[in-house]
Amino acid sequence: MNSFNKRAIPTYHFENAKSIVSVGADFVSGWLDSMQYSKGYTMRRNPEAEWMSKHYQFEANMSLTGTNADVRIPVKPSQYGAIVATLYNEVASKIGGSKIKAGSLDKNVASRVKSAAANLIENKGESIVVCGSNDKNIQILVNGLNNMLGNYGKTIDIEKVSHSKKGDDKKVADLIKDMNSGKVDALLIYGVDPV
């Protein structure tokens, strides 16, 4: 909503991305539309293809996506925000954007972030940055990064959106509150898993 004036998750075209940076998003096996993303991703991970994508994966736990990355950097989930903010600043400093406040990272992680940023800049308009965090502020930064890199309309489609995550945590929390206070006598659920 904050980035596109609509509540939507874009469609990612990993098959068009020469540079991929993922921060905690296991897009090959469990993140959003992973079956579609896995197919697009594997199209460009073949050394015999016309070109092969470069993939950086920052993650806390070993994932299927991470095992396929060119560069996998083990990090804590608590570092995801600092990684995305540092990545944002690295890209912004090279293409004339404004820097933001970022948390500190150890030298090894900071060095890998810098390398990932250079690869993204080298492939402007042909890159993707994704993050598996549910933190709205981190997702807004990721959207800003993809916008600075010119990825919308090329590797990321905001017109053809994903419908896999249409839940509303606030409405569910309000319903639970109403049920606990006795405002709901009966709840009928049809064709949906409320969890």
Side-chain angles (χ1 to χ4, degrees):
M1 190 70 172
N2 294 73
S3 299
F4 311 111
N5 293 321
K6 61 181 172 181
R7 189 171 184 264
I9 298 172
T11 298
Y12 298 90
H13 294 284
F14 288 93
E15 69 276 11
N16 298 335
K18 291 184 177 177
S19 179
I20 300 165
V21 176
S22 171
V23 182
D26 185 10
F27 59 84
V28 170
S29 70
W31 183 74
L32 302 175
D33 298 323
S34 58
M35 286 185 67
Q36 173 187 343
Y37 299 152
S38 176
K39 182 179 178 184
Y41 175 74
T42 56
M43 286 174 62
R44 295 300 178 189
R45 299 299 291 167
N46 180 350
E48 295 175 15
E50 178 184 347
W51 51 267
M52 193 167 143
S53 62
K54 175 86 175 199
H55 173 193
Y56 292 82
Q57 182 79 12
F58 297 85
E59 64 183 3
N61 298 315
M62 181 66 81
S63 69
L64 186 56
T65 303
T67 62
N68 285 284
D70 295 299
V71 181
R72 181 185 176 275
I73 305 94
V75 296
K76 296 176 184 173
S78 59
Q79 294 178 292
Y80 289 175
I83 290 165
V84 171
T86 303
L87 186 63
Y88 185 96
N89 286 342
E90 286 291 329
V91 171
S93 70
K94 301 289 190 257
I95 62 174
S98 300
K99 287 189 171 186
I100 59 168
K101 185 177 179 181
S104 62
L105 299 170
D106 69 54
K107 288 180 185 179
N108 180 47
V109 174
S111 168
R112 299 297 181 92
V113 170
K114 190 172 189 168
S115 175
N119 191 258
L120 288 168
I121 293 165
E122 183 180 320
N123 294 289
K124 267 183 82 176
E126 297 178 301
S127 59
I128 290 179
V129 180
V130 293
C131 184
S133 171
N134 285 331
D135 186 310
K136 176 178 143 183
N137 296 315
I138 295 173
Q139 292 299 337
I140 289 171
L141 278 181
V142 169
N143 293 343
L145 260 165
N146 282 307
N147 190 49
M148 271 195 293
L149 291 163
N151 294 332
Y152 290 104
K154 296 173 184 168
T155 57
I156 304 173
D157 186 349
I158 193 62
E159 298 306 317
K160 181 182 173 192
V161 298
S162 170
H163 295 285
S164 63
K165 302 286 182 187
K166 301 279 284 188
D168 187 329
D169 291 345
K170 184 184 178 328
K171 286 183 180 178
V172 172
D174 289 346
L175 172 63
I176 292 169
K177 183 179 171 186
D178 288 347
M179 288 173 16
N180 287 336
S181 70
K183 291 181 182 177
V184 176
D185 292 325
L187 177 64
L188 302 176
I189 297 174
Y190 177 76
V192 66
D193 180 359
V195 178

